[in-house]
């Protein structure tokens, strides 16, 4: 039934497109990375009421800003290269309960969502509650950007932002709010989710130390492009260093 919804399927097609970019970029080893998109506005009233196909899953914290909202989320353990081929076979459509304390899977198969769902939902919840029209959270593992987070002096929002802004002129325009830093936390935990939303007060892109990157926004392709631009800056920095000189910067 949901496959008859053209607008929804177009968005699912964009998710598949971006999942393919993550794989071909080399940012998605094994099951690395995850995607969530708020698709509530794309669903008809009838589709919003689809019956659950499983028992409710409790959430670690109530998402009171997301009651009744519907998301596409990639499945835990699923490979981006397969999300690209079959997004509905490697992710599911979930609906947050009316009290925000749990969610149900409503389509198409019972594929348990990403282990980073606490961070994703908390980010969606925080941004909606603060009036930002956020639809997308994209988490991925770009080699060059993660490499930077292994160097203590770069684990500072101002330092890393200045460095990456200064490698190419577009970077400052594409990432105007700079980069937030979250010191290492265990993946999938509430602690990681809470530390991440604190960074969203000032930034749309957050680096997780020694783990990966998150970008939030209204559009998934834009989120990908933001991370791609940062990755380009990091590559210029590293290639200058590898050639034996300090890049002059903008
Ligand atoms: P999932 O397979 O649970 O989405 O985990 C991948 C990941 O990148 C964890 O941070
Ligand atoms: Zn990760």
């Amino acid at each position: 039934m949901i496959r008859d919804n053209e607008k929804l399927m177009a968005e699912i097609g964009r998710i598949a497109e971006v999942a393919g970019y993550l794989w071909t970029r080399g940012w998605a080893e094994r099951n690395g990375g995850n995607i969530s998109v708020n698709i509530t506005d794309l669903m008809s009233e009838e589709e919003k009421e689809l019956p659950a196909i499983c028992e409710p899953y409790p959430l670690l914290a109530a998402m009171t800003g997301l009651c009744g909202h519907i998301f596409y989320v990639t499945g835990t353990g699923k490979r981006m290269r397969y999300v690209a081929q079959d997004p509905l076979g490697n992710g599911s459509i979930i609906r947050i309960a009316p009290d925000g304390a749990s969610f149900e899977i409503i389509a198409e198969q019972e594929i348990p969502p990403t282990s980073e769902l606490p961070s994703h939902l908390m980010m969606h919840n925080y941004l909606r509650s603060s009036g930002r029209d956020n639809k997308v959270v994209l988490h991925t593992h770009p080699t060059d950007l993660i490499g930077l987070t292994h160097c203590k002096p770069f684990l500072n929002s101002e330092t890393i932002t200045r460095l990456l802004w200064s490698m190419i002129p577009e970077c400052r325009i594409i990432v105007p709010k700079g980069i937030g830093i979250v010191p290492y936390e265990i993946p999938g935990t509430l602690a990681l989710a809470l530390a991440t939303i604190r960074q969203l007060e000032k930034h749309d892109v957050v680096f997780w130390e020694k783990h990966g990157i998150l970008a939030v926004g209204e559009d998934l392709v834009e989120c990908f492009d933001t991370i791609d631009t940062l990755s380009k800056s990091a590559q210029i920095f590293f290639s200058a260093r590898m050639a034996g000189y300090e890049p002059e910067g903008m």
Side-chain angles (χ1 to χ4, degrees):
M1 176 179 171
I2 57 159
R3 292 199 186 229
D4 297 332
N5 179 334
E6 280 179 26
K7 278 193 199 154
L8 175 63
M9 291 315 289
E11 186 61 26
I12 301 279
R14 282 158 70 81
I15 292 167
E17 177 191 336
V18 169
Y21 298 156
L22 301 178
W23 166 247
T24 49
R25 274 268 179 266
W27 300 352
E29 75 292 343
R30 198 174 183 273
N31 60 314
N34 24 74
I35 299 171
S36 64
V37 180
N38 190 330
I39 54 170
T40 315
D41 293 345
L42 303 175
M43 305 284 279
S44 67
E45 291 311 310
E46 204 185 348
E47 287 163 344
K48 285 180 190 165
E49 302 301 327
L50 279 171
I53 60 170
C54 61
E55 292 299 309
Y57 287 66
L59 289 167
L60 295 176
M63 300 295 141
T64 49
L66 300 178
C67 304
H69 279 252
I70 298 175
F71 294 85
Y72 169 87
V73 281
T74 51
T76 185
K78 299 296 183 186
R79 273 81 165 154
M80 283 296 159
R81 58 186 186 270
Y82 301 142
V83 175
Q85 291 170 8
D86 180 10
L88 288 170
N90 290 276
S92 51
I93 295 181
I94 67 168
R95 179 176 54 219
I96 310 296
D99 63 358
S102 63
F103 69 87
E104 302 169 316
I105 299 178
I106 59 171
E108 277 186 314
Q109 303 168 35
E110 189 184 351
I111 294 170
T114 170
S115 57
E116 300 295 0
L117 197 67
S119 285
H120 282 248
L121 289 184
M122 228 173 235
M123 293 169 90
H124 285 287
N125 190 57
Y126 170 79
L127 292 165
R128 279 201 69 81
S129 322
S130 45
R132 282 152 74 177
D133 187 22
N134 180 72
K135 297 242 172 351
V136 175
V137 176
L138 169 60
H139 164 58
T140 185
H141 295 174
T143 314
D144 37 26
L145 298 176
I146 296 172
L148 287 173
T149 73
H150 280 262
C151 179
K152 275 278 179 288
F154 292 144
L155 289 175
N156 170 287
S157 171
E158 220 170 287
T159 309
I160 194 79
T161 299
R162 269 179 204 286
L163 174 80
L164 295 174
W165 275 358
S166 76
M167 291 296 112
I168 43 171
E170 293 85 357
C171 194
R172 193 182 187 127
I173 299 158
I174 294 165
V175 197
K177 295 189 195 167
I179 297 151
I181 299 284
V182 171
Y184 187 78
E185 292 283 356
I186 295 170
T189 57
L190 191 61
L192 180 57
L194 290 168
T196 306
I197 59 166
R198 281 197 291 276
Q199 296 302 314
L200 293 182
E201 290 165 19
K202 290 191 184 156
H203 310 284
D204 290 332
V205 182
V206 178
F207 284 15
W208 283 347
E209 180 184 350
K210 301 184 183 110
H211 174 171
I213 313 306
L214 277 118
V216 301
E218 292 171 31
D219 179 275
L220 183 58
V221 173
E222 294 288 344
C223 286
F224 169 80
D225 286 339
T226 301
I227 299 174
D228 196 31
T229 305
L230 290 167
S231 167
K232 168 70 82 169
S233 284
Q235 284 173 48
I236 292 167
F237 172 72
F238 283 128
S239 55
R241 279 291 189 89
M242 281 189 279
Y245 62 91
E246 189 64 34
E248 188 177 282
M250 307 286 297

